[in-house]
Amino acid sequence: MGTRFAFVTVLSLGCLLGSCKTKSIEDSGISTTIDDSKELVAYVNPFIGTAPLTDPAFIGYTPPKDWRVWAGLTYPGSTLPNAMVQLSPITQYGSGAGYEYEDSEIIGFTHTNKGHWNLCHIPILPVSSDAEFPFKSSFDKNTEAASPAYYSVYLKDYKVGVRVTSSLRAGIHEYTFKQNAVPKILFDLGRANNSVDEWEILKTGKNTLEGFQRTGGDKVYFSVQLSEQILNLETVDPNESKGYALLTLDAKNPVVTLKIGLSFVSSANAENNLKQEIGNKNFETIQKEGISVWEKLLSKIEVTGGTERENELFYSSLYRSMQWPALRSDVNGDFTDEQGEIQNKGFRFYTNPSLWDTYRNKLVLLSLLSPDTAGDIIQSMIDRGTNSGFMPTFFHGDHAAPFIAQAYGKGIQNFDVKKAYELLLNNAYKEGGTRPFISEYIDKGFISDPDVKNPNTETKAKAGVSKTLEYALDDHSLAILARALQDVEHAEDLEKRSMNYKNVYDPKTHFMRGKLADGSFISPFDSEYPYYEYMYREANAWQLSFYVPHDMPGLVNLYENEKAFEQKLDSLFTLPWNPNHIARNVSGFMGQYCHGNQPDHEAPYAYYFIDKPYKSQEIIDKLLHNYYGVGSEGLALSGMDDAGEMSAWYVFAAAGLYPLSPAENKYLVSLPIFDQVKWNLGEKSLEISKKGTSRKLKNIVLNKLPVTTYFLSQEQLIAGGRLILDTK
């Protein structure tokens, strides 16, 4: 697969994988290697998504002063798939992932992360003997390196080389101090990405510590084992926000190892997690195990024939797609439930998925590549929902429905599907739960918005158009599950309700438009103006007017003819964005289409439904080539990654299959950017290859038989064989 890039330079990674080229970083105490092996992990660049967007022409507008446009909000640190621990540097609290590529100072290494302005728990920082508050160190970018299960950097001000790696619930820090230095370690427990409510740290032995940090409902316990003895533990403003603890070591060796276990249950469980997952293993062993885990996962989709950059973007996107939700149960199975009670129920307990972001593609990818994890995530949601009577959601819509329907349709059975269905029916029919304004939706077939004079981007209302469209998809998804469970009555009612998208369609303007309670369209109407929560959710009318992924033929039929639909869709991608329209998380435009946020990510595939897939392919190719790894450093995304949704879009689009209507378990076939894509999901692999050099799809042949639609079913994907895409 060719030569690797310098961004994967990590201590002994190449040696672990079979080849290494080592160079020393002056004064750092760290050696790095450039890996030239053929392992897929070597393509992963964890820095993608950490840099900002700064070009107004690409952003779509000139950002107001001091705005950092959301261009990924990812972290470069060590983690495993869906792990409890994300061990990563932090350069700025209150930022998306705590790390911003352009920053020049590191203020800690934290142990939880998502990229949503929360978490970043248990900050730890090695410091010099003369270090003073506020603690921070400058660093040079050429000493910074990251790869799966690894991060390293040299802290210039403290003259300490740092490298970290991690297991599911534990991590290892290795600090190389100057010879004869008196090592100190900061536990900056009064700070996190959220306000810290309380914290504690206790010395429990000559070289052991334990404690906790609480931010709102997250109480994170830790247990620490050091390679050197503790000389002194000083606390400043104990248990207070912004307070900290400073550890002085009686070090006999300039290389200090700190092993830490986490738990959301107790310090004793954190200690057990550390013992079971790391114990006496050294840094290289844990790193090697992490590499092996990622390699096994990444190899479920093998691509050949792409450029080095395409391989980098593909496997970096696949890597980022598989990190959230995060594990919250311990090695012994304990977890803390929604009521704060300790439970142990025989499944792995996870955080809720970011459903509004990830139901479209990322949760489908998770279900394909890690079905047992997907089932445990659903069972975790059921456990939370049992207390409230409703299946939980995230942010907007009721998108547990497509997630659970597609998982069950794939044969994932390690969750209580009857209980899940019961909770989802409550969501769909009962007021006071997951679907706001559900009574109005059932009664009228749409959700209205108030008549607001001179609304602006920040106007708060019902986001009625978005809710109506999303509830319609959710109804269709739940109808699929109802049919699978032989509930014909609900299936028919929900499928009928899934046509409610038509109730916000304006045939005169061909837009999905907001309505008042009396059913009249809201006027005046500006189709280009973006709203956060008025009529539309983080979108404008253009971006939502093609959102009917479950019934695209029905949407086309609302137009006078296919030509009218085509002309409207053409305008979506060509009508220039008005630079006076500014919404922070709506950026990265192609015409009115916004790839920097989720609401219209299905739109590039809409040309398929007027039998012009080549026009979709043209848009898809532009997005793949120009909207990922952008900016001056080539490390920004066109918008926030949102727990892997942006990355998962790339994976599916680049690999030639897209789950347009996610609950249906069928995939729109497009042309991959690679010569061959091999999906290794079942006993047999599916190999996708192209014939010809054109980007216009002509024929689809599966195992020597013609495919008469543009879709590939889940059964065909798993059965494997050869899918040949003939181009014009």
Side-chain angles (χ1 to χ4, degrees):
M1 288 189 173
T3 304
R4 297 299 181 264
F5 303 92
F7 63 76
V8 297
T9 57
V10 299
L11 178 61
S12 73
L13 172 58
C15 299
L16 288 172
L17 295 176
S19 66
C20 60
K21 297 179 182 178
T22 304
K23 64 177 181 178
S24 295
I25 297 174
E26 186 177 359
D27 295 328
S28 70
I30 303 177
S31 296
T32 65
T33 65
I34 297 176
D35 174 51
D36 288 322
S37 77
K38 294 185 178 181
E39 300 296 323
L40 300 179
V41 290
Y43 281 121
V44 175
N45 183 352
F47 289 109
I48 290 177
T50 65
L53 286 174
T54 57
D55 182 5
F58 184 88
I59 295 167
Y61 50 81
T62 300
K65 184 180 179 181
D66 298 327
W67 267 35
R68 186 184 193 268
V69 175
W70 301 344
L73 302 187
T74 61
Y75 58 90
S78 173
T79 193
L80 296 185
N82 303 105
M84 181 182 292
V85 168
Q86 298 83 34
L87 209 176
S88 190
I90 187 164
T91 64
Q92 196 173 142
Y93 289 104
S95 60
Y99 177 93
E100 298 187 345
Y101 186 81
E102 66 274 24
D103 289 344
S104 59
E105 295 177 329
I106 287 175
I107 55 180
F109 296 88
T110 61
H111 296 78
T112 63
N113 212 308
K114 178 187 177 185
H116 272 70
W117 298 276
N118 52 10
L119 303 179
C120 293
H121 291 105
I122 323 296
I124 297 176
L125 182 71
V127 301
S128 59
S129 59
D130 58 351
E132 295 181 348
F133 180 88
F135 301 98
K136 58 185 177 180
S137 176
S138 61
F139 68 102
D140 290 333
K141 284 293 176 186
N142 63 4
T143 72
E144 190 180 35
S147 69
Y150 182 88
Y151 174 87
S152 67
V153 71
Y154 179 62
L155 304 179
K156 288 175 61 178
D157 296 343
Y158 298 142
K159 296 180 173 56
V160 183
V162 178
R163 59 178 189 151
V164 299
T165 187
S166 60
S167 63
L168 282 175
R169 304 171 180 88
I172 301 181
H173 303 231
E174 186 180 273
Y175 309 138
T176 302
F177 291 88
K178 289 193 70 175
Q179 197 74 32
N180 300 320
V182 178
K184 291 188 176 183
I185 301 174
L186 172 73
F187 283 73
D188 205 6
L189 297 174
R191 296 205 287 181
N193 239 10
N194 297 102
S195 177
V196 175
D197 298 299
E198 59 176 333
W199 61 270
E200 180 181 82
I201 186 169
L202 300 170
K203 179 183 175 184
T204 56
K206 292 180 180 180
N207 64 339
T208 57
L209 301 158
E210 69 177 30
F212 68 84
Q213 184 187 54
R214 184 173 71 82
T215 58
D218 283 325
K219 190 171 185 179
V220 188
Y221 297 88
F222 63 89
S223 176
V224 169
Q225 179 182 342
L226 293 145
S227 62
E228 305 294 322
Q229 291 191 14
I230 300 169
L231 192 63
N232 184 50
L233 175 61
E234 175 191 6
T235 57
V236 177
D237 295 329
N239 203 34
E240 296 291 330
S241 179
K242 306 296 174 67
Y244 60 89
L246 196 60
L247 195 68
T248 304
L249 299 180
D250 183 16
K252 309 300 183 185
N253 191 320
V255 179
V256 174
T257 301
L258 183 154
K259 298 179 179 180
I260 180 169
L262 261 57
S263 170
F264 286 74
V265 174
S266 68
S267 296
N269 275 19
E271 181 181 10
N272 187 51
N273 289 342
L274 177 60
K275 179 180 178 181
Q276 296 298 323
E277 292 190 356
I278 292 182
N280 294 324
K281 295 177 182 178
N282 63 18
F283 189 101
E284 283 71 22
T285 298
I286 296 300
Q287 181 194 4
K288 185 176 181 180
E289 289 176 355
I291 290 169
S292 178
V293 169
W294 277 114
E295 186 68 23
K296 182 178 179 180
L297 182 58
L298 296 176
S299 65
K300 291 189 176 183
I301 310 177
E302 296 179 80
V303 300
T304 55
T307 66
E308 290 292 315
R309 181 60 165 167
E310 288 167 342
N311 278 274
E312 175 193 9
L313 289 171
F314 183 82
Y315 284 109
S316 298
S317 297
L318 182 53
Y319 166 79
R320 195 64 72 185
S321 299
M322 303 303 292
Q323 294 178 5
W324 193 264
L327 184 65
R328 287 294 180 261
S329 55
D330 295 324
V331 169
N332 64 5
D334 288 352
F335 65 90
T336 301
D337 68 12
E338 290 291 278
Q339 291 69 52
E341 300 294 326
I342 298 174
Q343 304 285 355
N344 194 315
K345 299 183 178 180
F347 62 90
R348 294 167 295 173
F349 191 71
Y350 288 89
T351 59
N352 280 335
S354 295
L355 286 163
W356 192 63
D357 310 316
T358 59
Y359 78 93
R360 307 164 194 271
N361 48 42
K362 179 261 178 65
L363 291 173
V364 177
L365 189 62
L366 176 72
S367 299
L368 285 171
L369 272 55
S370 299
D372 288 345
T373 299
D376 280 337
I377 291 166
I378 294 170
Q379 190 59 45
S380 301
M381 296 171 67
I382 294 168
D383 191 82
R384 291 186 176 93
T386 298
N387 181 65
S388 67
F390 297 93
M391 184 66 73
T393 191
F394 174 83
F395 192 68
H396 207 258
D398 181 24
H399 303 316
F403 175 33
I404 294 170
Q406 62 86 22
Y408 188 69
K410 288 180 173 66
I412 297 173
Q413 297 183 352
N414 58 323
F415 66 93
D416 185 346
V417 66
K418 291 184 179 179
K419 186 62 178 180
Y421 182 57
E422 174 191 324
L423 296 172
L424 287 170
L425 283 178
N426 289 346
N427 289 8
Y429 287 93
K430 293 184 179 180
E431 193 68 65
T434 302
R435 294 203 200 184
F437 317 112
I438 189 62
S439 296
E440 181 183 26
Y441 175 80
I442 293 172
D443 181 47
K444 297 178 179 178
F446 66 91
I447 295 171
S448 66
D449 270 288
D451 190 4
V452 178
K453 302 302 179 185
N454 302 313
N456 58 50
T457 301
E458 303 283 348
T459 297
K460 301 290 183 182
K462 298 180 183 178
V465 176
S466 292
K467 281 190 174 66
T468 300
L469 296 174
E470 293 184 26
Y471 288 1
L473 170 68
D474 298 330
D475 287 340
H476 173 73
S477 303
L478 192 52
I480 291 173
L481 186 58
R483 283 193 293 272
L485 298 176
Q486 300 182 334
D487 183 352
V488 177
E489 182 178 354
H490 278 119
E492 291 178 350
D493 184 53
L494 289 162
E495 202 61 72
K496 181 180 178 180
R497 280 172 35 174
S498 76
M499 297 295 106
N500 282 344
Y501 72 87
K502 298 177 182 179
N503 297 331
V504 291
Y505 175 76
D506 177 7
K508 294 182 179 179
T509 64
H510 297 153
F511 284 112
M512 300 292 180
R513 289 185 56 181
K515 282 187 170 182
L516 299 172
D518 64 4
S520 61
F521 286 114
I522 292 174
S523 185
F525 170 65
D526 183 348
S527 63
E528 298 179 32
Y529 195 85
Y531 296 99
Y532 284 135
E533 209 168 351
Y534 183 57
M535 296 189 287
Y536 310 99
R537 189 50 154 151
E538 299 182 9
N540 67 12
W542 279 99
Q543 292 152 9
L544 266 298
S545 291
F546 300 91
Y547 177 87
V548 191
H550 62 289
D551 187 27
M552 289 300 295
L555 175 64
V556 174
N557 287 337
L558 292 179
Y559 286 71
E560 297 85 347
N561 50 54
E562 289 187 356
K563 186 64 176 177
F565 180 85
E566 182 180 5
Q567 289 174 343
K568 189 72 171 184
L569 190 56
D570 287 344
S571 296
L572 170 69
F573 296 107
T574 57
L575 180 66
W577 182 261
N578 185 338
N580 294 318
H581 292 165
I582 299 176
R584 189 167 199 153
N585 55 336
V586 182
S587 63
F589 301 101
M590 185 186 296
Q592 291 294 306
Y593 172 79
C594 172
H595 201 66
N597 206 26
Q598 291 80 21
D600 56 352
H601 274 187
E602 295 81 9
Y605 291 88
Y607 288 106
Y608 273 79
F609 298 91
I610 53 171
D611 201 27
K612 292 189 176 181
Y614 66 91
K615 296 190 76 170
S616 281
Q617 193 67 60
E618 183 179 357
I619 301 298
I620 293 164
D621 286 348
K622 287 180 180 178
L623 293 170
L624 290 170
H625 290 126
N626 300 327
Y627 288 71
Y628 289 80
V630 298
S632 59
E633 302 288 346
L635 296 175
L637 300 178
S638 54
M640 185 178 173
D641 195 41
D642 276 308
E645 189 278 341
M646 182 81 72
S647 292
W649 191 98
Y650 187 97
V651 170
F652 276 119
L657 301 175
Y658 194 82
L660 186 79
S661 182
E664 294 185 22
N665 280 314
K666 60 182 183 179
Y667 308 88
L668 260 180
V669 178
S670 62
L671 293 171
I673 59 175
F674 305 98
D675 292 340
Q676 187 179 81
V677 178
K678 190 175 180 181
W679 292 77
N680 303 311
L681 303 177
E683 293 182 2
K684 297 181 179 179
S685 299
L686 178 75
E687 295 183 9
I688 303 175
S689 59
K690 299 177 295 183
K691 287 179 63 177
T693 58
S694 167
R695 298 299 289 171
K696 293 184 177 181
L697 182 63
K698 180 181 179 181
N699 296 311
I700 303 172
V701 177
L702 176 63
N703 297 328
K704 300 182 179 180
L705 296 175
V707 177
T708 57
T709 73
Y710 292 119
F711 286 95
L712 188 75
S713 71
Q714 176 71 19
E715 292 76 17
Q716 290 170 322
L717 175 59
I718 296 299
R722 293 196 66 194
L723 185 72
I724 298 175
L725 308 179
D726 191 12
T727 62
K728 297 179 181 178

